[in-house]
Amino acid sequence: MVVGQNIQEVVRRENKMKKLLMIFFYSVLVLSSNAITELELYDLQMKGRSGDVEAMCEVGRVYRNGEGVKKDAAKASEWTRWASSKGCIRAKGLCFQFGYGVATNTSEAVKCYRKGVEEGDVKSMFLLGYCYLRGSGVPMDAAEAAKWLRKGAELGDAQSMNLIGHCYHNAWGVPKDDAEAVKWIRKGA
């Protein structure tokens, strides 16, 4: 009976750990929203109007994802196309990916993200990794996705940190490693 009780105890502890991990992932993904305040959005818009292409891209992302504001595809398109017109290669890729002012073309979007990566743009690393993870514009390749997400995460991109954490948790292109998953998701929160 001692062996059976020990096995039951191990299973009980393992189930408890799984529940704790799920609670942690839920709290990171759902409760710690990346929503910005009206004042932060206003500040970004003012920077964008002053010619800051990173701010233009960020405003586009906020409207595209509905972070702290109602989702608004028209405003997302407007801000992203504006950044693209100012030479932001990542914004040009987003225009192709979402069909902002051009026909949707995920292969062209990937080309833009690759160029952005060559220029050292960490957000392009995230977008390229995401495309590989989904098979959008490139063949699905979780290992290649993890490579770019890890690079973006190591350079400080919060979205890359979050997604590489999920790669480790789900063994997408990397060995399953919940400790590594928690580490990256915490850093990206």
Side-chain angles (χ1 to χ4, degrees), residues 22-23 29 36 38 48 59 82 89 93 104 132 142 152 156 167:
M22 291 307 297
I23 290 168
L29 295 174
I36 66 171
E38 285 182 43
V59 172
W82 192 16
I89 193 69
T104 300
Y132 273 108
C167 288

Side-chain angles (χ1 to χ4, degrees), residues 82-156:
W82 192 16
S84 176
S85 75
K86 299 290 184 187
C88 180
I89 193 69
R90 172 179 12 108
K92 184 177 179 184
L94 289 167
C95 287
F96 279 117
Q97 186 168 351
F98 293 101
Y100 294 157
V102 295
T104 300
N105 185 331
T106 54
S107 296
E108 283 300 315
V110 168
K111 287 179 189 175
C112 292
Y113 301 148
R114 282 188 203 285
K115 187 166 186 198
V117 165
E118 290 170 12
E119 295 173 359
D121 180 45
V122 295
K123 296 287 185 189
S124 290
M125 292 174 194
F126 165 76
L127 291 164
L128 185 59
Y130 187 73
C131 286
Y132 273 108
L133 199 57
R134 293 187 58 226
S136 179
V138 291
M140 190 179 290
D141 185 338
E144 190 71 8
K147 175 180 108 177
W148 291 113
L149 294 169
R150 179 75 186 226
K151 284 185 181 191
E154 288 171 348
L155 291 171

